[in-house]
Amino acid sequence: NAGVTQTPKFQVLKTGQSMTLQCAQDMNHNSMYWYRQDPGMGLRLIYYSASEGTTDKGEVPNGYNVSRLNKREFSLRLESAAPSQTSVYFCASSERWDSGELFFGEGSRLTVL
Amino acid sequence: AQTVTQSQPEMSVQEAETVTLSCTYDTSENNYYLFWYKQPPSRQMILVIRQEAYKQQNATENRFSVNFQKAAKSFSLKISDSQLGDTAMYFCAFMKLMNYGGSQGNLIFGKGTKLSVKP
């Protein structure tokens, strides 16, 4: 049971570099999400995709872009990384966009120098 | 805007004992869900329990139960017969119920409580 798979698990970037975090789920879920988790804070929603073909901004979308490639895959792109984007990123999926019952990946730890 | 407050950054409990984690939230909404999520060390976050605000009965899942006090906007998690595997960060979360297509279905998370279960 793979569930939600994120790659890479660790990445170090220099300021201004770009990168894409990949996420795939094998549960046939309709909705997918990207969160970031910073020390001493709860998770904050960056972007979400309620269903295939749609994406919407969450609480902290600035500096990020997303692509819902198909029903399984949802990528997060940092076009020009900044130190403020140093964080742990979590991808999640749910059967329904409004259920609140999310299945999370293991996280991707990103450091921007 | 909704906020979720977990006032206990860290807690510890002896194995087999009972522990209660606190959560309060602020909202003017009447229809919403509340959740507890568990994040074990270096492992994926998983859903522990869900409570619908319109239900008066407190949700239970095996050793996990909640005390939902809607008027007080309080949502505590009780873990009975604590086990070493319960060691984790626990996050309380709130989600407003909205009409289809009208909102994000966004979960608002608290900052978490780090629970250590000691042998």
Side-chain angles (χ1 to χ4, degrees):
Chain A
N1 261 354
V4 178
T5 303
Q6 295 179 230
T7 56
K9 289 186 170 44
F10 300 93
Q11 184 74 48
V12 179
L13 290 177
K14 294 181 179 178
T15 297
Q17 288 185 319
S18 62
M19 76 158 297
T20 300
L21 297 174
Q22 307 285 356
C23 176
Q25 53 92 6
D26 62 1
M27 296 173 282
N28 200 37
H29 284 170
N30 291 304
S31 303
M32 298 185 73
Y33 312 80
W34 277 105
Y35 284 88
R36 60 178 287 173
Q37 184 180 33
D38 299 299
M41 299 186 71
L43 278 73
R44 292 181 292 169
L45 182 65
I46 304 170
Y47 270 94
Y48 72 104
S49 171
S51 61
E52 186 179 359
T54 69
T55 60
D56 284 285
K57 296 178 181 179
E59 182 184 356
V60 289
N62 291 345
Y64 305 94
N65 285 302
V66 291
S67 296
R68 183 76 182 266
L69 305 170
N70 48 56
K71 190 171 185 179
R72 291 186 63 248
E73 298 173 288
F74 188 41
S75 63
L76 178 72
R77 183 162 178 82
L78 287 69
E79 290 291 351
S80 179
S84 61
Q85 294 177 304
T86 293
S87 188
V88 181
Y89 292 85
F90 289 94
C91 179
S93 69
S94 65
E95 186 172 357
R96 286 175 52 90
W97 70 281
D98 59 351
S99 72
E101 297 186 8
L102 272 56
F103 291 77
F104 285 85
E106 293 184 350
S108 299
R109 184 175 295 275
L110 174 65
T111 301
V112 183
L113 302 174
Chain B
Q2 289 79 26
T3 58
V4 176
T5 302
Q6 294 180 248
S7 59
Q8 306 149 316
E10 293 193 40
M11 295 187 71
S12 65
V13 63
Q14 292 296 130
E15 199 174 4
E17 292 187 346
T18 295
V19 63
T20 299
L21 309 182
S22 300
C23 173
T24 58
Y25 57 95
D26 186 20
T27 185
S28 58
E29 301 294 328
N30 194 46
N31 296 318
Y32 49 87
Y33 290 158
L34 293 163
F35 306 84
W36 279 98
Y37 277 86
K38 168 186 178 181
Q39 186 179 34
S42 302
R43 293 179 61 185
Q44 288 145 298
M45 187 175 299
I46 59 173
L47 177 65
V48 175
I49 201 163
R50 183 179 98 163
Q51 174 78 43
E52 291 88 345
Y54 63 86
K55 289 186 177 178
Q56 293 186 346
Q57 186 173 6
N58 289 325
T60 62
E61 286 289 344
N62 300 315
R63 298 183 295 107
F64 298 87
S65 61
V66 298
N67 183 4
F68 173 48
Q69 302 289 329
K70 191 172 184 179
K73 296 179 183 175
S74 171
F75 183 61
S76 60
L77 175 70
K78 186 171 82 170
I79 306 174
S80 303
D81 186 25
S82 297
Q83 301 176 0
L84 296 178
D86 295 333
T87 292
M89 282 289 290
Y90 287 82
F91 291 94
C92 179
F94 169 99
M95 189 180 81
K96 182 169 66 171
L97 287 178
M98 298 176 182
N99 294 327
Y100 180 78
S103 181
Q104 302 170 350
N106 185 21
L107 282 169
I108 307 297
F109 285 88
K111 294 183 179 181
T113 296
K114 184 177 182 180
L115 177 68
S116 299
V117 180
K118 300 184 184 305

